[in-house]
Amino acid sequence: MKNLPVYKHPASYAREHDELAAYRASNQTNAACKEAIEAAIRDHYRDNRLDTAAVDQVVQQFGYDRAFHILAITVCQADWDRRYSPDNRAWANAMSIPANPDAWGTDRNCYLAVSSHPGLVDLFLSQTRKAYAQEQQKTSVRDMLKKLPETTSPKISAKSKSPER
């Protein structure tokens, strides 16, 4: 499920562009990710603490992109709820999740919103964002270390050496 890309357009766009199969597959995986987030919070919340293993459990199965998509939908669907931190609310609003209305005008995204306690979802989102930032930092350091030997080791050719007297 981690390799299936997140379809970020509404159903009307998918219908117009003959991409309903991709939309449906992504939507089913989104629903599974929502349920996995709820299960991870339920399984890893003990003694007023959410273990970071909850994030690992979801990210290993669905990846950061899909988890962030579901979490952004959750925060945006509850724009009235102030239990989400201002930082997480600003992050979610910046994700620009398009409305996905059905035939009756209901936004289909409401079915993908995580129904766990908003305080725990906010904590889960903060931990996920922190884990993602650490992962990106590790990747950038790893990339720099790969390039480091090429740039720091000067190559001296036999022609550039001056003869000793």
Side-chain angles (χ1 to χ4, degrees):
M1 290 190 223
K2 192 175 185 177
N3 297 329
L4 182 69
V6 178
Y7 193 87
K8 297 191 179 194
H9 301 289
S12 58
Y13 180 91
R15 197 173 300 109
E16 290 171 8
H17 292 87
D18 207 23
E19 298 174 346
L20 275 174
Y23 168 81
R24 288 181 179 138
S26 181
N27 200 46
Q28 286 176 341
T29 308
N30 288 345
C33 182
K34 168 205 180 248
E35 292 170 9
I37 291 171
E38 292 170 348
I41 290 172
R42 185 175 50 250
D43 296 345
H44 294 281
Y45 181 69
R46 299 280 181 271
D47 301 323
N48 286 334
R49 185 175 167 275
L50 183 62
D51 190 11
T52 55
V55 172
D56 295 336
Q57 179 179 321
V58 173
V59 168
Q60 286 178 3
Q61 188 176 2
F62 295 98
Y64 283 107
D65 194 32
R66 188 166 312 278
F68 282 148
H69 184 72
I70 297 303
L71 291 167
I73 286 172
T74 301
V75 174
C76 290
Q77 286 291 314
D79 61 350
W80 51 269
D81 195 339
R82 297 295 168 226
R83 290 176 282 189
Y84 295 105
S85 71
D87 188 40
N88 283 340
R89 184 171 298 289
W91 170 87
N93 289 331
M95 294 289 283
S96 69
I97 305 294
N100 190 7
D102 62 13
W104 296 276
T106 303
D107 188 0
R108 288 182 180 101
N109 290 335
C110 73
Y111 303 115
L112 298 175
V114 177
S115 61
S116 299
H117 188 280
L120 294 176
V121 175
D122 186 61
L123 182 57
F124 183 87
L125 174 54
S126 295
Q127 289 179 354
T128 306
R129 290 178 62 202
K130 182 178 178 182
Y132 179 73
Q134 289 172 342
E135 185 76 25
Q136 293 299 89
Q137 188 177 19
K138 286 179 190 177
T139 303
S140 66
V141 168
R142 200 175 305 128
D143 291 344
M144 285 190 323
L145 289 175
K146 285 180 182 177
K147 293 177 183 177
L148 192 62
E150 295 173 8
T151 58
T152 59
S153 60
K155 295 185 179 186
I156 301 173
S157 67
K159 292 181 183 177
S160 64
K161 290 185 181 178
S162 60
E164 292 184 25
R165 296 179 192 183

